[in-house]
Amino acid sequence: MALLHGFTQTRRCWNGLDELLSQSHEVVRVDLPGHGEAGPVGRPLEETADLLADEVGAAIWVGYSMGGRHALRVAVDHPEVVEGLVTIGATAGIETEAERAARRALDAQRASALIVQGVADFLDEWMRLPLFAGLPPEAAHRDERLGNTVEGLASSLVVAGTGTQAPMWGDLRGAEAPAAFVVGGLDEKFAALAQRLDDAWGGPSRVRTVAGAGHAAHLEDPAAVAAIIDELSRVAA
């Protein structure tokens, strides 16, 4: 089972979910480009998906937010290594070029602000976004996130942000592996995206909602998310 973290996080930011899953699964936690020990250089999603498929091999892929986009890219480009898929607060991309361009411009602004502010101030601002309003400080892994570098995070924003990726919605119909699209019950934007993922996915799938949680449902209620992943793994077996 491969765990792919979100932006500003590292492989250590799974808040006990990895410990719950390790009781019955072999778990591989990955530092994505620009984060943790992966080095200060971001990579496009397509390139990272190739590396992940080659290095991890066949697995159930679990990805949160940015990590969910990476997991979806692996599923589209390398279905042979995807035994099952779980995304948490994820999207298959922005469909129009105008909207993608606007997102690239926003992420470039964020990268510039990051360079000026430094990681600590940028992270405090990032965690004040409405997406994370319900995330308690003890579950946010701030100290671990502070280990990331300005260069790495800025590179990730510019090279692997949502605006840089080709939309994958039309590619999901060919998927065959079972999937669960997880979303926090308070995360309205990504609830709609989870339903779209479910509708587009070619294999058996369902939306699973974590009641009372926001965007980072796996950090707010790791036990509930672990139960969903365990259920999916039984279907994939």
Side-chain angles (χ1 to χ4, degrees):
M1 185 170 293
L3 305 184
L4 309 182
H5 61 79
F7 177 65
T8 77
Q9 299 182 4
T10 76
R11 71 180 188 273
R12 297 185 178 90
C13 292
W14 285 93
N15 198 41
L17 177 62
D18 54 340
E19 295 177 7
L20 293 170
L21 294 173
S22 295
Q23 295 175 16
S24 53
H25 305 280
E26 181 179 352
V27 175
V28 176
R29 299 176 299 170
V30 178
D31 278 334
L32 292 173
H35 296 76
E37 298 176 6
V41 179
R43 294 177 182 269
L45 259 70
E46 295 82 359
E47 184 177 331
T48 302
D50 293 343
L51 291 170
L52 288 169
D54 183 58
E55 293 181 9
V56 175
I60 293 173
W61 295 80
V62 180
Y64 162 62
S65 197
M66 180 188 75
R69 292 189 289 111
H70 281 81
L72 285 165
R73 191 76 252 175
V74 172
V76 167
D77 292 348
H78 301 279
E80 71 281 0
V81 302
V82 179
E83 298 173 345
L85 174 74
V86 179
T87 67
I88 306 163
T91 178
I94 300 171
E95 291 180 282
T96 72
E97 175 54 36
E99 290 176 309
R100 289 197 298 275
R103 180 56 185 264
R104 289 195 298 272
L106 174 60
D107 283 343
Q109 291 175 2
R110 286 171 168 164
S112 297
L114 172 60
I115 292 168
V116 172
Q117 294 173 311
V119 172
D121 288 347
F122 176 85
L123 183 58
D124 289 341
E125 186 174 301
W126 179 259
M127 297 306 295
R128 285 195 293 269
L129 290 174
L131 284 174
F132 310 114
L135 182 62
E138 63 271 16
H141 291 277
R142 185 176 187 275
D143 288 345
E144 178 61 34
R145 296 178 196 238
L146 287 173
N148 288 312
T149 66
V150 165
E151 296 81 5
L153 295 182
S155 179
S156 177
L157 276 171
V158 172
V159 177
T162 312
T164 67
Q165 73 177 83
M168 296 175 277
W169 299 101
D171 299 319
L172 302 183
R173 185 56 56 194
E176 298 180 358
F181 303 109
V182 180
V183 64
L186 303 179
D187 192 4
E188 294 183 5
K189 173 183 176 180
F190 281 87
L193 289 168
Q195 187 59 60
R196 284 200 63 195
L197 288 168
D198 184 50
D199 293 341
W201 191 255
S205 65
R206 63 186 302 185
V207 174
R208 298 302 304 269
T209 301
V210 180
H215 187 61
H218 65 300
L219 298 181
E220 296 183 45
D221 194 344
V225 175
I228 293 168
I229 296 171
D230 278 334
E231 179 184 37
L232 186 280
S233 70
R234 290 192 291 272
V235 174

